[in-house]
Amino acid sequence: MALELRAISKRVGQITHVKETSLILEPGRFNVLLGETGSGKTSLIKLMAGLDRVASGTILMDGQDVTGVSPQKRNISLVHQFFVNYPHMTVFDNIASPLRVAGLAKSEIQGRVEAAADVLQLRPMLHRRPHELSGGQQQRTALARAIAKESTAVFLDEPLANLDYKLREELRDQLPELFAGRGAVVVYATSEPAEALMLGGRTALMQDGRVTQFGPTAEIYRRPNTLISARVFSDPPINSAPVTKTGDRVELGHGVGWQVTGAAAGLGDGAYTVAIRPNYISPVRSEASHVPMTGTVQITELSGSESTAHFRMGAETWVSLAPGVHPYRVGEDRVFYMDPAHCFYFAPDGALAA
Amino acid sequence: MRKVNQKGWFFVLPVLALVAFNALVPMMTVVNYSVQETFGNNQFFWHGLGWFQDILRSERFHASLGRQALFTFMILVIEVPLGVIIALSMPRKGIWVPVCLVTMALPLLIPWNVIGAMWNIFTLPDIGLLGYLMNHVLGVNYNMTQDPVAAWITVIVMDVWHWTSLVVLLCYAGLVSIPDAYYQAAKIDGASNWSVFRYIQLPKMKQVLTIAVLLRFMDSFNVYTEPFVLTGGGPGNATTLLSIDLVKIALGQFDLGPAAAMSLIYFAITLFVSWLFYTLMTRNDTQ
């Protein structure tokens, strides 16, 4: 069972919401759609679920063309960012509703609902109504409905976005094992890079209605194929700046330059864009190879065990994210050390060069 | 121990003064009249609960109350479901939304006595558009100034024409506040249109529907201007609703005592039924 998208697209009037997209989503591990708000994640999910019609292309489930098939005939589930439950039904009836529509036997419904409720720790709440539940419980009810339905595809559209921090972490930890071994294709949309990394599986990066890269999550994090992909999959935002390569040296300007090693050494001379994640720029020099950059501190944030500093060097603002507490003063000039081994070099057309 | 801040009372005072001026004082005047008898010369005599007994035993009051109850019952039975149906069939997106909303709001913008006059002219057998059409084109004998049934139908149709929009607009507001996500969930579950209405739209509309029923009950139970301008309570007393009868007693016959007693009974009935409706319709929320 796999969900295959072949060159699907979606237009509303003159506006293209989803540009031609082809993906093969497999069961067994999470398929994460990662992109900013408005990048087309929800539009793509609606197309996959059959809630919207595609402008072109075909959707296959298990090799069967389901492009024009209505959502209720696709055996799918959708869990929203908002807590969508029938307001005047008990939790039990909410979980049971798709099973009743499908016409299952009473005993079968009872069994499935209770099994799903057990997995999601909803047993004691089965006879309550949604408005008597906490946000986390309401969202667990929506998840239980998806599990009890035994759908072949489950779409989770930022399901944790409206939960508070603690509940979000708790539920996020449970999610992968919740769907493990159920044979369903699970698609999970999120705007947080950290969430994609924690869920693992495969990730599709989305930008402007286009999937820019798709592959095992850790792999695409380590090797973004384009500058855009690197930007989508980085929080805080990845640093980037134009550099010039001559021989085995690259020059950033402002007297900052370094010797390239590894794959980057093989690049031809010319102009590139260098990108480096904020966690590879530190106020502390740990290796002799790290490149000093002097800038004026502009914004600082201290989040418990990590220190963030935005500093200005020439026309560009750089972000450093370092473990530990570093007392920055806004306005001071400070030296930061960048690890050149973790630089990405992108060609002028945006493709990864090294 | 918690310290109670008594300064809050100062903020309530202006409202209290306003309510006293526009509600309590006039009402106490009515209460005053209802327990007194006068023979002119501005001299009043204590009459106890005599007027209340008279009114409650009066056949004329029973008849008016009966007509009033029938009128309100029919108004609610017609306007509430009709309003819900119209609200459900209105578009929720697109350029037709403002067109529908303005069209719906039009009857509500017309002054009440104009509505009565409009419908009066509209239904005149010889020159009114509807009256002429019925009598001279369709050949149906329709004259609401002579036929009580025709008068009743006209009064009710006029009220439906005037006030269904209110129910529509309230229900529509309730409907558009339902997020798309609910409809999507229902679509994925394969729920029928009836299920969508029963389990999503109706529960989500319940609050506004309660308001709509309450408003329609109070307004139709206290209705005066439109039927009075349209029929004047006639033919005979056929469409003399409670308020029309009350005005006849108070200003026509100048029986201040009985009119005051009747006002208070009228008020008590309206208040009690409103409370009953509200309690019944919101009962499930607290369970």
Side-chain angles (χ1 to χ4, degrees):
Chain A
M1 167 65 224
L3 180 63
E4 189 178 347
L5 314 177
R6 284 192 191 154
I8 62 163
S9 68
K10 165 79 185 163
R11 274 189 303 274
V12 177
Q14 295 292 308
I15 307 158
T16 307
H17 287 219
V18 175
K19 290 170 192 154
E20 222 173 75
T21 299
S22 298
L23 285 176
I24 297 177
L25 304 170
E26 279 162 359
R29 48 187 162 174
F30 267 57
N31 296 283
V32 180
L33 298 180
L34 174 65
E36 293 171 3
T37 308
S39 60
K41 304 183 299 285
T42 300
S43 300
L44 189 61
I45 281 183
K46 278 179 165 176
L47 291 180
M48 292 193 278
L51 290 165
D52 275 343
R53 287 182 165 278
V54 293
S56 64
T58 40
I59 300 170
L60 297 119
M61 276 176 104
D62 217 2
Q64 299 252 314
D65 187 348
V66 294
T67 314
V69 177
S70 67
Q72 68 257 39
K73 293 197 183 118
R74 292 192 188 189
N75 190 24
I76 52 164
S77 296
L78 174 62
V79 177
H80 268 274
Q81 174 179 347
F82 318 104
F83 312 136
V84 177
N85 292 299
Y86 297 106
H88 278 64
M89 284 188 191
T90 61
V91 170
F92 184 95
D93 290 335
N94 261 291
I95 300 172
S97 65
L99 308 179
R100 291 205 174 118
V101 173
L104 292 186
K106 247 198 154 99
S107 56
E108 168 88 11
I109 293 176
Q110 181 88 19
R112 281 215 216 168
V113 171
E114 282 174 1
D118 282 341
V119 175
L120 286 150
Q121 300 136 43
L122 286 168
R123 245 323 158 110
M125 288 103 195
L126 278 178
H127 295 288
R128 294 205 202 153
R129 302 219 169 147
H131 64 90
E132 296 166 314
L133 302 177
S134 71
Q137 290 164 342
Q138 288 187 46
Q139 199 61 318
R140 286 218 295 270
T141 305
L143 285 165
R145 186 160 59 224
I147 284 172
K149 198 180 171 188
E150 296 178 4
S151 314
T152 46
V154 179
F155 302 102
L156 309 169
D157 190 1
E158 303 198 43
L160 310 178
N162 282 352
L163 294 175
D164 60 54
Y165 182 71
K166 262 270 176 284
L167 276 172
R168 198 188 315 177
E169 282 202 328
E170 197 183 301
L171 206 48
R172 190 197 294 128
D173 290 346
Q174 291 175 2
L175 275 176
E177 62 182 292
L178 212 59
F179 288 99
R182 288 181 196 274
V185 176
V186 183
V187 179
Y188 185 102
T190 179
S191 56
E192 290 174 42
E195 209 161 86
L197 285 169
M198 280 183 257
L199 289 167
R202 290 163 154 261
T203 294
L205 302 179
M206 290 199 72
Q207 162 92 5
D208 283 338
R210 190 193 296 278
V211 172
T212 61
Q213 192 173 4
F214 179 55
T217 306
E219 198 173 294
I220 66 168
Y221 183 78
R222 277 197 302 269
R223 283 193 72 76
N225 60 354
T226 55
L227 184 55
I228 289 172
S229 296
R231 283 189 179 137
V232 172
F233 208 165
S234 184
D235 181 39
I238 197 163
N239 297 296
S240 65
V243 287
T244 321
K245 178 169 185 287
T246 342
D248 60 354
R249 272 189 76 78
V250 290
E251 293 297 333
L252 184 65
H254 320 293
V256 180
W258 60 91
Q259 197 140 24
V260 284
T261 50
L267 293 174
D269 290 358
Y272 293 93
T273 302
V274 70
I276 183 144
R277 296 189 194 278
N279 52 310
Y280 294 118
I281 301 182
S282 165
V284 185
R285 187 172 210 164
S286 49
E287 303 260 346
S289 65
H290 290 185
V291 181
M293 303 167 81
T294 307
T296 313
V297 175
Q298 292 192 311
I299 303 169
T300 69
E301 268 168 46
L302 184 64
S303 59
S305 56
E306 284 178 330
S307 306
T308 309
H310 296 234
F311 63 95
R312 201 158 182 83
M313 195 175 71
E316 278 116 24
T317 303
W318 297 75
V319 183
S320 150
L321 175 68
V325 177
H326 301 277
Y328 299 117
R329 275 200 328 274
V330 172
E332 70 172 333
D333 281 342
R334 204 168 167 133
V335 188
F336 291 87
Y337 301 92
M338 187 264 286
D339 182 356
H342 287 97
C343 283
F344 300 117
Y345 299 91
F346 296 97
D349 65 356
L352 183 72
Chain B
M1 206 182 104
R2 232 183 88 218
K3 199 174 161 236
V4 179
N5 189 348
Q6 301 288 355
K7 281 185 193 125
W9 291 105
F10 288 105
F11 292 94
V12 185
L13 275 180
V15 180
L16 218 59
L18 201 70
V19 171
F21 185 73
N22 73 9
L24 285 179
V25 173
M27 186 151 145
M28 286 326 286
T29 319
V30 174
V31 172
N32 197 24
Y33 282 137
S34 72
V35 290
Q36 296 188 78
E37 165 71 298
T38 180
F39 302 103
N41 295 336
N42 218 10
Q43 284 183 300
F44 288 87
F45 306 93
W46 176 250
H47 194 59
L49 294 175
W51 295 132
F52 289 92
Q53 284 169 352
D54 288 357
I55 288 291
L56 287 172
R57 288 188 194 126
S58 144
E59 270 179 37
R60 177 176 167 179
F61 176 75
H62 294 164
S64 301
L65 184 62
R67 282 189 290 267
Q68 185 63 66
L70 179 65
F71 176 77
T72 296
F73 174 75
M74 288 173 80
I75 289 306
L76 288 178
V77 164
I78 297 172
E79 287 182 9
V80 173
L82 187 64
V84 171
I85 290 168
I86 295 176
L88 284 172
S89 47
M90 272 166 63
R92 249 154 268 163
K93 281 184 192 117
I95 52 163
W96 289 104
V97 171
V99 177
C100 287
L101 286 179
V102 170
T103 314
M104 277 295 143
L106 273 182
L108 299 174
L109 299 175
I110 303 171
W112 298 3
N113 53 349
V114 175
I115 293 212
M118 243 168 69
W119 277 78
N120 194 333
I121 296 166
F122 186 50
T123 52
L124 285 178
D126 291 321
I127 56 163
L129 194 62
L130 181 68
Y132 186 85
L133 187 80
M134 297 288 273
N135 287 293
H136 301 283
V137 179
L138 298 175
V140 182
N141 187 19
Y142 168 76
N143 187 345
M144 61 121 200
T145 55
Q146 286 167 10
D147 177 10
V149 177
W152 263 89
I153 292 173
T154 314
V155 169
I156 285 174
V157 170
M158 175 180 69
D159 198 272
V160 168
W161 178 85
H162 187 184
W163 285 111
T164 305
S165 297
L166 182 77
V167 183
V168 173
L169 293 179
L170 284 169
C171 289
Y172 186 74
L175 278 177
V176 291
S177 69
I178 303 174
D180 268 352
Y182 282 87
Y183 295 111
Q184 289 172 6
K187 218 168 160 186
I188 286 171
D189 281 359
S192 62
N193 285 343
W194 167 250
S195 300
V196 171
F197 174 71
R198 171 70 186 80
Y199 296 112
I200 298 174
Q201 291 170 325
L202 199 60
K204 289 273 171 185
M205 268 197 301
K206 206 182 141 189
Q207 308 266 347
V208 285
L209 215 52
T210 308
I211 304 284
V213 169
L214 266 182
L215 284 177
R216 278 324 293 136
F217 165 73
M218 287 190 288
D219 279 349
S220 68
F221 204 74
N222 298 342
V223 73
Y224 175 73
T225 316
E226 303 118 293
F228 180 74
V229 175
L230 182 71
T231 64
N237 272 334
T239 55
T240 301
L241 302 173
L242 214 45
S243 59
I244 298 178
D245 202 22
L246 177 64
V247 173
K248 272 185 190 165
I249 296 173
L251 302 179
Q253 302 160 215
F254 224 73
D255 283 334
L256 289 184
M262 188 171 157
S263 302
L264 291 176
I265 294 167
Y266 196 171
F267 173 63
I269 295 172
T270 314
L271 198 66
F272 174 73
V273 180
S274 298
W275 171 81
L276 202 66
F277 266 133
Y278 186 78
T279 313
L280 288 179
M281 292 187 75
T282 53
R283 192 184 39 169
N284 286 333
D285 292 350
T286 48
Q287 268 178 7

